[in-house]
Amino acid sequence: MRRPRATIERTTPGDLMQLASDFPGSPMQVAAVLMFGPGSALDLAAVRGVLDRRLHAVPRLRQRLVRAPFGAGRPIWVDDPDFDIRAHVNSVDCPAPYDRSAMFGVIAGTMSRRLVRNRPLWSATLITSLSDGGAALVVTLHHVLADGIGGLAVLACLVDGAPATPDTVFPRPPPRRRAVFLDATATRCRALSHLPAKARHLRSAMAALTTGGVAGPPPSSLNQPIGSHRGVADVRVDLASVQRTAHAHSATVNDVVLTAVTGALHGLLCQRGETVDRFVISVPVAGRRSASAGHLGNEVGVMTVPVTVTGDLHQRLAAIARTTRRRRPATPNASAALLGPVFRTLAWLGVLRWFVNRQHLVSTMVTNIRGSDAGLFLLGAQILEIIPVTPITGNVTVAFAVLSYAGTLTVTVTADPRCCPDLPALVARLQDELDLIATDQPPEPVPEASIRVLCAAEQPTAGRLP
C-alpha cells in the first residue's frame, strides 16, 4: 500500500523574517518553562514517553525545514524519517544552590544553544534537583516553527486532557519537485492577485512601524550590540488586581505592563547616571485570535509605542492607553509583509546584523500572550507556573515576555549580562512598579529637583555606553 504523499507546507513571509534574524550566538528561539511542585515525580523516561505519544497531534514537531529547489519558492516542511524523541528530550540536574536563580541559569544556557537545523526545531529539557523538591520542563521552539499563539496551541496538545487525535501515517514521502514548482507558481499568482489589498495595507503598516512624528528614543545603554550570554529572571503579580486597575483607567493589561516596564527602565537608567525619560517599545500584534496544531507559523505584526515617562503612575498609564488605542493597526500583521522583504534583502546583502546592531528605532521589546485561565497538568502533576522566555537580538540589551496563567501574570526579563549587569536591580524595580499598580495606590510625589540630585549622585554601572 502506497503511503500518501505529503502536502506542501511552506514557510510564511513572517517565518522568513524570523530565519533572517537568526544569528550565531543569538538564536531566534522562544521557550515556555513549566514549573512543577514537590512530589511531582517526573523523570526523563516518563516525559519522553508521554511527549512521544502526543507528538502526532502536532505534525510540525516531527518535521524539518528544507530549502525548495532553486526557483521553487520558499522553504518547505517535510517529515523527518530519522525522528528520535531521545534527540529532543533530555534532562539536567539544577546546579548548586539548586534555587530559582540557579534554575534560570540553566534556562539561559538552554536558550543560548542553537537548535540543530537538520532536525525538527524544538527541544524539551527536564530540570530536576530543585531545592523545593519540584522540577521544571523547558520547552524550546524556534520562532520559525510558531509565534506566541502557535506556541500555546502546541502546549495545549501536549498536556493532560488534550483532545485525542488519531495517529497519521509517518513519515510521509516529501513532495515531488514538479509539485513544488507548480505550487510555487500558484502561490506567486495568488500573491499578484492580492497586490491591491497589500497596497491598501501599506499605510497601516507604516503607521504601526513609525512613531507618528514623535521623536525616537535618545541614545542610552539600553541599546548596544549584545553577545551570546543571557541572563533570565522573572516577576509575578496577581492578574485580577492588574485587570481591575486596567479597567479603572480604560486600559488593557498590556498597557499596565508597558507602564511598569518603562517606569522600571527609567529608574534603572537613572541609577546608571543617565537621564532618559523617553522610550520606544516594540510590541508584537497578533494577526489571529487563535491557532491550531495544524496551522502554526508566524502571523504577527509589530507596533511601536512611544512612551514619555512624565507624571505619576496613573497619568503615565492613561497616556500609554491613549497611545496604544490610537496606534493599534487596523491590519495587525501588515507590518510583517513590509518588514519581511526588507529583512530578507539586508540578509541577502550580508548587512542585516550590522543594521540591527546599530538601529535607533526601539529601546526594548515587550511580548504579551494570554495563557490558560485554568491550571494544566502533565503526567498527573499540576503545572504551577508557566514562565515565558523570548530572545533578544541586535542591540536590544533587555526584553520582556508576559504571560497570564491561572490567575497570575508573569513577566520574564531576558538580558545580556555584560550589557545589563544590574539585572537584579531592574527586576526589583519592575516588581515594585507592578505591585504599586496592582494595589492601585497613587505614588507619593517626588520633587523634580530631588530626582536630578539622585541621578547625579548615583554611580554609573558597566552597562552604560562609553
Side-chain angles (χ1 to χ4, degrees):
M1 180 178 179
R2 295 181 60 185
R3 292 181 176 180
R5 192 164 292 276
T7 56
I8 298 173
E9 300 176 75
R10 292 189 186 271
T11 50
T12 67
D15 298 340
L16 293 182
M17 189 166 65
Q18 300 299 335
L19 289 173
S21 303
D22 189 290
F23 305 122
S26 188
M28 294 300 291
Q29 296 169 184
V30 297
V33 184
L34 314 183
M35 297 295 300
F36 302 90
S40 51
L42 295 179
D43 62 69
L44 179 59
V47 172
R48 278 178 174 169
V50 71
L51 293 185
D52 201 25
R53 290 191 300 272
R54 295 174 181 173
L55 283 182
H56 66 267
V58 191
R60 189 60 47 82
L61 296 184
R62 295 191 293 181
Q63 293 178 326
R64 56 190 180 91
L65 193 61
V66 299
R67 292 182 179 274
F70 180 76
R74 299 190 296 267
I76 60 176
W77 296 96
V78 299
D79 287 353
D80 181 8
D82 299 319
F83 177 80
D84 186 346
I85 192 69
R86 294 171 296 180
H88 294 268
V89 183
N90 295 284
S91 67
V92 61
D93 290 336
C94 184
Y98 318 108
D99 58 5
R100 197 175 184 91
S101 178
M103 179 194 73
F104 275 124
V106 176
I107 294 169
T110 300
M111 291 292 293
S112 299
R113 286 192 295 274
R114 210 175 189 201
L115 293 165
V116 180
R117 290 299 180 265
N118 61 355
R119 296 177 185 165
L121 294 172
W122 69 278
S123 71
T125 303
L126 179 65
I127 304 176
T128 57
S129 303
L130 297 179
S131 57
D132 64 355
L137 184 65
V138 186
V139 181
T140 305
L141 308 175
H142 193 285
H143 217 316
V144 71
L145 194 149
D147 56 21
I149 292 179
L152 290 181
V154 170
L155 181 61
C157 293
L158 302 181
V159 298
D160 296 352
T165 303
D167 203 353
T168 56
V169 175
F170 179 86
R172 295 168 297 174
R176 299 183 185 278
R177 290 173 61 93
R178 181 174 181 274
V180 176
F181 274 102
L182 290 176
D183 178 77
T185 301
T187 299
R188 289 164 182 150
C189 290
R190 287 194 297 270
L192 288 174
S193 67
H194 294 160
L195 278 180
K198 290 183 178 180
R200 289 194 298 271
H201 296 328
L202 183 60
R203 178 175 295 181
S204 175
M206 289 296 295
L209 291 171
T210 60
T211 56
V214 178
S220 76
S221 56
L222 292 178
N223 293 119
Q224 52 182 307
I226 61 173
S228 59
H229 296 292
R230 298 291 176 265
V232 181
D234 74 330
V235 300
R236 288 162 288 166
V237 67
D238 178 66
L239 176 61
S241 299
V242 171
Q243 289 173 328
R244 281 194 298 269
T245 300
H247 295 162
H249 294 81
S250 300
T252 65
V253 169
N254 197 56
D255 295 331
V256 170
V257 173
L258 293 179
T259 304
V261 163
T262 50
L265 290 176
H266 176 262
L268 182 76
L269 292 180
C270 185
Q271 181 178 325
R272 293 179 179 179
E274 303 174 52
T275 305
V276 176
D277 61 359
R278 191 172 69 251
F279 304 96
V280 177
I281 314 298
S282 176
V283 179
V285 181
R288 52 185 171 177
R289 292 184 178 272
S290 61
S292 67
H295 185 200
L296 298 176
N298 288 267
E299 294 187 20
V300 63
V302 176
M303 173 178 68
T304 55
V305 182
V307 178
T308 301
V309 187
T310 57
D312 64 26
L313 186 147
H314 292 247
Q315 292 170 329
R316 292 192 287 117
L317 174 57
I320 288 175
R322 289 193 299 269
T323 300
T324 56
R325 282 196 300 270
R326 184 176 67 250
R327 295 190 56 75
R328 184 168 294 276
T331 307
N333 59 344
S335 58
L338 182 63
L339 282 176
V342 174
F343 273 52
R344 294 197 299 274
T345 300
L346 293 175
W348 181 75
L349 293 173
V351 296
L352 179 59
R353 189 162 195 172
W354 178 92
F355 172 78
V356 297
N357 281 346
R358 291 161 177 79
Q359 66 84 29
H360 298 289
L361 304 176
V362 299
S363 312
T364 186
M365 299 172 286
V366 178
T367 303
N368 193 351
I369 307 168
R370 180 176 177 176
S372 172
D373 295 329
L376 303 175
F377 293 79
L378 181 68
L379 286 168
Q382 185 175 6
I383 301 172
L384 302 180
E385 304 174 48
I386 301 180
I387 304 170
V389 187
T390 51
I392 54 175
T393 189
N395 67 349
V396 175
T397 60
V398 60
F400 304 82
V402 188
L403 177 70
S404 59
Y405 168 69
T408 297
L409 189 72
T410 300
V411 183
T412 309
V413 188
T414 303
D416 181 332
R418 179 186 62 84
C419 302
C420 188
D422 42 7
L423 177 59
L426 173 60
V427 171
R429 289 179 179 274
L430 180 59
Q431 185 71 71
D432 289 343
E433 292 274 339
L434 287 170
D435 289 342
L436 190 62
I437 292 173
T439 55
D440 197 22
Q441 296 295 321
E444 295 182 6
V446 178
E448 185 178 349
S450 298
I451 296 176
R452 286 199 297 266
V453 169
L454 176 63
C455 289
E458 294 279 5
Q459 195 73 354
T461 71
R464 188 179 181 186
L465 284 172

